[in-house]
Amino acid sequence: MFKAAVGHGIDPDEIGAITEALEQCQQILDNDTPQAGILLAAVDFDHAVILRHIRDIYPEITLVGGTSVGEMSSTMGFQQDSLTLMLFSSDEVTFRAGYGSNVSADTTAAATAAIEQALADSGQTVKDMKLCYSLCEALKVDGAALVSDLRVATKQQVPIFGGLTADDYQFAHTYQFFNDEVLEDTVVVLAFFGELKVSFGVATGQKPTGPKATITKSESYTVHEIDHQPARNFYAPYFGKEEVRVARSGAFTGPLAVYEPGEINFYVRAPNGGSKEDGSVSYFGNVPEGSTVQITDTDRESLVQSAQDAFSKAKFAYPGKEPRAVIMTSCVSRMKNLGMQVNKEHEVVEAIAGTNLPNIGFYAYGEISPFSETSATYFHNETFTALLIGTR
């Protein structure tokens, strides 16, 4: 048995919101006690109160989560200033959680600590782990470096899914949840063991266009040279030499399709500001030297279609007959670009998933997912990611 229950609370009072969400979950769980849960919540709630309330009802539950810009669920669709909760009850799957602190200072140490804690005293090894769900601090953290370190900590053997927590475009504080603790500057993980089946779908809606070029000099978030020329020059045919037109709260123009060596799939890197005096451009994540890049463009129809494509890929690839839950992560820049049509992302997924398949998701400052079950895990920008899980 593997059961996922979803609740969604829109009461501006945190007790009202979590009570609403828990009542919805309990109707689905009936008399089953959940062993683990994922909480995604708007940044302005008193999160400590919410976590204590959940743990008062389920003292032994393993709980992870984080803050978001917008929330999605099979219960209430897309909402803002809300919280949504997915609870898991199973006699086929076991759950362990861990966290690593000071992730902005040392992603390697934080990722290692989180995985080691999830494995400690469990009798399990990395080889037994079927899925790692991860949420991480976004500010001053290189998401690509974090994902690389999580891959190393899991010995390149475990698919990793999740995203970077958000704070409603304030870029001041994002929070992560671990059991009854509200944390900052942390990466949290929920590890799944047992008879779990998983599949993934990733799509961006960003369309590569124009000539390809090679990253010839980059450092951390900053690309200095493309084809041995200042990075700004690569944008000149599209936006002019004076300014790379990007928006800090999600790039509207200027994202790159990045093809790492040997990869046929690309992920997107969004600029996080205009070009510097030396002609370099900074991004929401590392762009590795040796990668091939193209400029991208999109429109609202393509963004909505990509959400449908991501879920369709995951559904087609699911290795069993009956997935029991969907977990989604989408990018805040997609939310900004879609504007009043942002609810359509969730609507097109649910149109395929149906009303009986529990789903949960949030808008993040970066997405974490493999391209497929056989692909390595990557850090994405401006992308919709879908995960299907079940035991049948």
Side-chain angles (χ1 to χ4, degrees), residues 26-183:
Q26 288 163 344
Q27 290 179 3
I28 299 168
L29 290 171
D30 197 12
N31 293 322
D32 294 322
T33 299
Q35 290 89 46
I38 297 170
L39 173 70
L40 305 169
V43 71
D44 291 333
F45 283 122
D46 187 333
H47 305 107
V49 170
I50 295 168
L51 296 174
R52 283 197 301 269
H53 192 74
I54 298 171
R55 298 273 288 181
D56 284 345
I57 296 174
Y58 300 118
E60 303 300 320
I61 195 170
T62 298
L63 189 65
V64 301
T67 52
S68 60
V69 176
E71 302 76 46
M72 297 175 276
S73 82
S74 48
T75 304
M76 290 190 176
F78 167 79
Q79 300 289 335
Q80 286 184 276
D81 302 318
S82 69
L83 62 83
T84 186
L85 177 69
M86 178 173 277
L87 299 180
F88 302 105
S89 178
S90 181
D91 57 7
E92 298 173 284
V93 177
T94 58
F95 311 88
R96 296 288 187 275
Y99 73 90
S101 302
N102 301 316
V103 66
S104 62
D106 192 336
T107 56
T108 301
T112 302
I115 297 300
E116 287 181 347
Q117 184 178 1
L119 292 171
D121 302 323
S122 68
Q124 308 276 10
T125 68
V126 166
K127 290 183 179 180
D128 301 313
M129 195 182 299
K130 297 299 178 64
L131 173 69
C132 177
Y133 180 77
S134 180
L135 296 169
C136 181
E137 163 68 35
L139 309 177
K140 300 181 181 179
V141 172
D142 184 340
L146 170 72
V147 170
S148 177
D149 289 329
L150 284 170
R151 283 164 54 176
V152 171
T154 55
K155 304 185 186 304
Q156 312 282 355
Q157 296 179 1
V158 181
I160 306 162
F161 187 89
L164 303 192
T165 52
D167 68 348
D168 201 20
Y169 307 108
Q170 299 170 31
F171 298 99
H173 299 280
T174 77
Y175 301 99
Q176 303 78 50
F177 313 141
F178 181 82
N179 292 333
D180 55 4
E181 297 181 76
V182 180
L183 306 170

Side-chain angles (χ1 to χ4, degrees), residues 203-204 206 250-251 255 268 270 331 333-334 337 367 380-384:
T204 176
Q206 295 285 344
V268 176
C331 185
S333 66
R334 296 170 61 88
N337 277 325
E367 305 77 58
H380 306 265
N381 296 142
E382 308 210 12
T383 297
F384 189 96

Side-chain angles (χ1 to χ4, degrees), residues 168-237:
D168 201 20
Y169 307 108
Q170 299 170 31
F171 298 99
H173 299 280
T174 77
Y175 301 99
Q176 303 78 50
F177 313 141
F178 181 82
N179 292 333
D180 55 4
E181 297 181 76
V182 180
L183 306 170
E184 288 188 75
D185 199 17
T186 300
V187 54
V188 299
V189 300
L190 179 64
F192 294 69
F193 303 89
E195 300 302 317
L196 192 74
K197 300 180 186 296
V198 301
S199 63
F200 304 92
V202 176
T204 176
Q206 295 285 344
K207 303 170 186 176
T209 183
K212 291 184 177 181
T214 301
I215 302 296
T216 49
K217 185 179 180 181
S218 68
E219 182 182 6
S220 186
Y221 304 99
T222 303
V223 173
H224 294 281
E225 294 181 3
I226 302 178
D227 280 349
H228 302 286
Q229 297 293 318
R232 177 173 55 194
N233 291 7
F234 179 68
Y235 288 91

